[in-house]
Amino acid sequence: MRPPPRAPDSGHYEAASDSGGERAAAMYTLIETAKLNGLDPEAYLRDVLDRIADHPINRIAELLPWNVAQQWRDQPQERRAA
């Protein structure tokens, strides 16, 4: 995955602060882990963001890429799109 484009003369790093860098690292990790598990990262993130607000915190591991990949293999395509 390419880093986000920036102005050639900006001289800034992609993350302007430590906390921003940590958030970016977490997002890149989720995206790459989704790819490693055979998921389309955009579809994976859309699904997780749609589900996370109503998802019980004690079952948050169900939203990790390897668990979502298994869930998607176990259900038909039509149910995922709904």
Side-chain angles (χ1 to χ4, degrees), residues 1-80:
M1 173 176 254
R2 292 185 186 166
R6 58 187 169 131
D9 62 343
S10 70
H12 294 100
Y13 296 104
E14 281 79 20
S17 67
D18 288 344
S19 62
E22 290 170 5
R23 280 190 290 263
M27 288 302 298
Y28 287 138
T29 300
L30 277 175
I31 290 167
E32 292 302 318
T33 305
K35 289 180 187 178
L36 288 171
N37 284 278
L39 300 172
D40 170 29
E42 184 179 348
Y44 164 71
L45 291 172
R46 187 180 315 112
D47 180 57
V48 168
L49 291 173
D50 285 345
R51 294 168 47 189
I52 198 164
D54 298 321
H55 202 81
I57 190 68
N58 62 338
R59 292 179 23 216
I60 202 75
E62 294 173 2
L63 301 179
L64 293 171
W66 49 88
N67 293 329
V68 170
Q70 182 63 46
Q71 292 166 14
W72 285 9
R73 281 191 292 272
D74 294 343
Q75 61 180 285
Q77 179 70 27
E78 306 84 51
R79 279 189 66 199
R80 280 189 272 161

